[in-house]
């Protein structure tokens, strides 16, 4: 008999590690591309990244894609916001190291409960404050060094 809960935990951990690796490697690759001529036009790097991602998504999920006016509109809005966010990140990365860029990007994860507090007018549990403080301290320790 296969223990599905254990398998799910292992798969979750493997997927989390994969996401962290891909996310972290992305900063280094972006930095290399910026150093190799993409700095004057970071939007081009984004356009290539999004174009490749879209192409792969269509190839893998073409049977499941149902285009309607609403999905196209929501996709365009979400894609434009994501593109803009990545563009701002790339512009910022031209001035700081990939590690520091990762630090500032990771801060939005730990600030999410406070944004939810503002939007929903419901304070997070005290353990969230402790977790955010520990996360920020951890991020600072990981990124110790002088800012350029």
């Amino acid at each position: 008999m296969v223990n599905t809960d254990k398998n799910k935990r292992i798969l979750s951990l493997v997927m989390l590690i994969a996401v962290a690796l891909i996310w972290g490697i992305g900063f280094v690759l972006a930095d290399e591309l910026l150093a190799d001529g993409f700095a004057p036009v970071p939007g081009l790097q984004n356009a290539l990244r999004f174009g490749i991602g879209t192409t792969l998504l269509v190839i893998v999920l073409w049977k499941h894609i149902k285009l309607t006016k609403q999905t196209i509109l929501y996709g365009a809005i979400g894609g434009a916001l994501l593109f803009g966010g990545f563009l701002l990140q790339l512009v910022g990365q031209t001035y700081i190291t990939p590690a520091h860029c990762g630090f500032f990007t990771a801060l939005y994860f730990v600030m999410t409960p406070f944004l939810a507090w503002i939007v929903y007018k419901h304070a997070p549990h005290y353990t969230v404050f402790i977790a955010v403080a520990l996360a920020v301290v951890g991020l600072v320790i990981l990124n110790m060094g002088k800012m350029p």
Side-chain angles (χ1 to χ4, degrees), residues 3-130:
N3 186 345
T4 57
D5 285 341
K6 185 177 180 183
N7 290 344
K8 285 180 183 179
R9 280 192 217 120
I10 291 170
L11 180 61
S12 299
L13 184 60
V14 168
M15 291 174 73
L16 185 61
I17 291 169
V19 166
L21 281 171
I22 291 168
W23 186 76
I25 290 169
F27 286 109
V28 176
L29 290 176
D31 193 52
E32 289 297 319
L33 287 172
L34 288 170
D36 289 340
F38 278 90
V41 210
L44 178 59
Q45 182 179 342
N46 255 359
L48 291 171
R49 183 182 195 174
F50 277 59
I52 291 168
T54 301
T55 303
L56 290 174
L57 187 69
V58 169
I59 289 169
V60 172
L61 297 175
W62 70 273
K63 290 181 180 179
H64 305 287
I65 297 173
K66 294 178 180 64
L67 293 179
T68 65
K69 286 182 184 178
Q70 186 177 19
T71 58
I72 292 171
L73 176 65
Y74 289 169
I77 292 170
L81 291 171
L82 188 61
F83 188 90
F86 274 114
L87 184 60
L88 288 173
Q89 183 178 5
L90 283 173
V91 170
Q93 195 168 336
T94 60
Y95 301 105
I96 59 176
T97 65
H100 289 106
C101 190
F103 169 76
F104 291 118
T105 302
L107 277 179
Y108 84 83
F109 283 105
V110 297
M111 296 303 160
T112 301
F114 300 112
L115 179 62
W117 185 3
I118 293 167
V119 171
Y120 297 114
K121 312 272 191 277
H122 180 70
H125 192 263
Y126 76 94
T127 55
V128 172
F129 290 99
I130 295 169

